[in-house]
């Protein structure tokens, strides 16, 4: 049934004994044909039962209620045929629906998209009230259209097909076009989707991390009877915050995602990333900006810049990425950083690593790059770029040909710890060139990349 408000009205009329024959027929048809209506009826019958318990009975037509007072012996009860028929119909309906309700699966329906746990089979439609994963991952689609990927260890409650409650671990939600308004609750935050893909992670400390991969979300304090909910932040693509128990928030400088597959926040059972964190000196002036570290993400074409849909990191046409770079952790960069030569990045590495920086071949490399890194014979490219972007406005291609930017690859072997990188160039007047890229791979007898 497309009109959900109409079905709710039918539920009320049936449960209150006010439905006529046409409405009863419409009600039965909706229950038979629409799983969402069956779920909605379960919710309504629970509410009705509660009201009946709380107030003695629900608002049912007086003629259908048997009085608790004994009738005088000489006056037998008189019900007309219509009343008896309606009462019998309601009795049969309630008995049938009660039997169906008790025998039907409990929980919220979902369709399994992929799973590492053999208990879930791809394509199966199952009902769950909660999901507990010690490790591995489960990706599923709710009837609202929202797709959720949970990464173990994770615990979440399925409240409805438009609301999840996460008590531990990480989930990523892709709402598509049909589930705008989808919500994720934690103990400290309420995240309301505005048409997007976003991640939520509940840390062992109880704090909540929220990161937006596409679109935007509103972050509110968690519902609390003693305090009114307040808006904490509006986050857009590439922004993230950490919300504490006192409703205060702070910038989340980076998140770790699993390659470029689903942009799922990594759980503690994932391989330890080489790049564990990246932050900056704040010269860009974006309050809640967050870097995505894509573990082992360099290899297949992977997104180059936050906020720009098209360009991806790729080898030059007809070539493969060298093994020395393949599988490296790669950082999703910000194209607008090309405007800030005073910007510095602080990259934290978990193990001794080979750190790669690739830089636009059209632009003179900055001093820090030529002093601290070695130039290799390898080149990468990003693209295809939209022709109206000022970064590629001076690149000439044949009509119908896609536009790419080429980069020279520089490398440096570094110990575990923090490495400082500088701005994209030495001058303030270099806006029409692409921002550089960053990747790192653990040093395990990697083949060297030769100098030119």
């Amino acid at each position: 049934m497309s009109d959900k408000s109409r079905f709710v009205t039918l539920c009320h009329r049936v449960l209150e004994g006010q439905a006529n024959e046409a409405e009863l027929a419409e009600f039965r048809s909706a229950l038979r044909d629409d799983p969402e209506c069956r779920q909605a009826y379960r919710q309504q019958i629970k509410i009705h039962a509660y009201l009946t318990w709380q107030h003695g009975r629900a608002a049912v037509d007086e003629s259908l209620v048997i009085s608790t007072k004994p009738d005088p012996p000489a006056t037998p009860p008189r019900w007309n045929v219509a009343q008896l028929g309606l009462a019998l119909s309601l009795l049969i309906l309630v008995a049938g629906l009660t039997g169906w309700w008790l025998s039907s699966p409990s929980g919220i329906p979902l369709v399994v998209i992929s799973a590492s746990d053999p208990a879930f089979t791809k394509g199966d439609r199952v009902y769950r009230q909660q999901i507990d994963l010690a490790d591995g991952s489960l990706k599923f689609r709710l009837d609202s259209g929202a797709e959720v990927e949970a990464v173990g260890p994770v615990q979440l409650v399925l409240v409805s097909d438009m609301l999840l409650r996460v008590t531990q671990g990480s989930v990523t939600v892709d709402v598509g076009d049909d589930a705008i308004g989808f919500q994720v609750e934690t103990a400290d935050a309420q995240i309301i989707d505005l048409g997007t893909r976003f991640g939520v992670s509940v840390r062992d400390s109880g704090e909540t991390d929220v990161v937006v991969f596409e679109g935007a979300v509103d972050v509110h304090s968690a519902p609390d009877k003693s305090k009114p909910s307040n808006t904490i932040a509006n986050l857009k693509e590439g922004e993230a915050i950490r919300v504490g128990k006192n409703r205060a928030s702070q910038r989340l400088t980076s998140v770790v995602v699993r390659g470029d597959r689903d942009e799922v926040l990594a759980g503690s059972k994932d391989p330890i990333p080489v790049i564990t964190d990246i932050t900056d000196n704040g010269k860009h002036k974006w309050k809640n900006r967050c870097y995505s570290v894509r573990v082992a993400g360099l290899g297949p074409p992977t997104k180059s810049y936050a906020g720009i849909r098209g360009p991806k990191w790729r080898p030059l046409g007809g070539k493969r990425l060298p093994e020395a770079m393949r599988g490296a952790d790669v950082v999703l960069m910000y194209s607008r950083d090309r405007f800030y030569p005073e910007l510095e990045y602080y990259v934290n590495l978990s193990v001794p690593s080979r750190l790669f920086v690739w830089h636009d071949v059209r632009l003179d490399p900055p001093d820090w790059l030529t002093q601290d890194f070695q130039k290799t014979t390898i080149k990468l490219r990003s693209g295809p770029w939209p022709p109206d972007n000022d970064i590629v406005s001076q690149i000439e291609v044949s009509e119908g040909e896609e536009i790419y930017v080429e980069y020279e690859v520089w490398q440096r072997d570094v110990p575990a710890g923090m490495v400082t990188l500088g701005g994209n160039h030495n001058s303030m007047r270099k806006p029409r060139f692409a921002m550089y890229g960053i990747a790192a791979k653990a040093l395990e007898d990697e083949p060297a990349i030769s100098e030119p």
Side-chain angles (χ1 to χ4, degrees), residues 230-241:
N230 65 292
T231 301
I232 296 175
N234 175 270
L235 302 179
K236 299 177 179 62
E237 179 176 340
E239 296 182 335
I241 60 172

Side-chain angles (χ1 to χ4, degrees), residues 118-371:
F120 295 94
T121 303
K122 181 179 179 180
D124 279 359
R125 182 178 177 83
V126 297
Y127 291 75
R128 290 290 186 275
Q129 291 179 332
Q130 63 182 50
I131 292 173
D132 295 335
L133 289 178
D135 53 29
S137 64
L138 171 66
K139 186 175 183 180
F140 57 88
R141 182 183 298 106
L142 295 166
D143 285 352
S144 62
E147 293 186 359
V148 179
E149 183 152 1
V151 180
V154 64
Q155 294 178 344
L156 60 92
V157 177
L158 298 168
V159 181
S160 75
D161 63 4
M162 288 292 287
L163 174 61
L164 295 182
R165 185 171 295 123
V166 181
T167 56
Q168 177 191 4
S170 302
V171 298
T172 292
V173 181
D174 190 337
V175 304
D177 296 326
D178 299 323
I180 294 175
F182 190 92
Q183 296 185 41
V184 175
E185 287 184 357
T186 71
D188 299 315
Q190 181 182 41
I191 301 95
I192 303 174
D193 154 72
L194 303 177
T196 185
R197 180 163 60 196
F198 63 97
V200 177
S201 184
V202 177
R203 299 166 57 84
D204 291 340
S205 62
E207 296 171 309
T208 298
D209 293 348
V210 184
V211 58
V212 179
F213 297 118
E214 293 179 11
V217 301
D218 278 338
V219 182
H220 300 265
S221 58
D224 188 334
K225 292 181 180 180
S226 62
K227 299 178 183 177
S229 177
N230 65 292
T231 301
I232 296 175
N234 175 270
L235 302 179
K236 299 177 179 62
E237 179 176 340
E239 296 182 335
I241 60 172
R242 176 167 293 164
V243 182
K245 293 187 177 301
N246 59 356
R247 300 189 176 194
S249 67
Q250 62 184 32
R251 176 190 175 194
L252 185 61
T253 58
S254 66
V255 293
V256 176
V257 300
R258 297 192 306 161
D260 196 38
R261 183 165 64 88
D262 288 311
E263 294 187 308
V264 175
L265 290 169
S268 62
K269 297 295 185 182
D270 283 356
I272 296 175
V274 175
I275 301 177
T276 57
D277 182 42
I278 176 171
T279 186
D280 54 53
N281 61 359
K283 295 296 183 180
H284 50 74
K285 305 186 187 308
W286 277 275
K287 178 182 177 182
N288 292 320
R289 196 173 78 169
C290 177
Y291 300 96
S292 293
V293 178
R294 299 165 180 239
V295 177
L298 193 60
T302 183
K303 187 175 179 180
S304 303
Y305 302 106
I308 304 179
R309 295 287 181 268
K312 293 187 176 182
W313 298 128
R314 308 170 187 268
L316 293 185
K319 296 188 177 182
R320 283 175 53 85
L321 195 72
E323 287 301 316
M325 298 183 72
R326 184 174 292 274
D329 290 6
V330 61
V331 179
L332 181 62
M333 301 299 291
Y334 290 83
S335 177
R336 59 197 177 206
D337 282 0
R338 67 189 187 276
F339 294 108
Y340 303 98
E342 296 179 354
L343 186 61
E344 289 186 349
Y345 300 91
Y346 312 112
V347 183
N348 280 300
L349 303 165
S350 61
V351 294
S353 307
R354 180 160 293 148
L355 185 61
F356 300 99
V357 172
W358 47 96
H359 190 266
D360 191 332
V361 298
R362 303 170 296 169
L363 177 63
D364 292 335
D367 293 341
W368 65 267
L369 187 59
T370 58
Q371 292 169 4

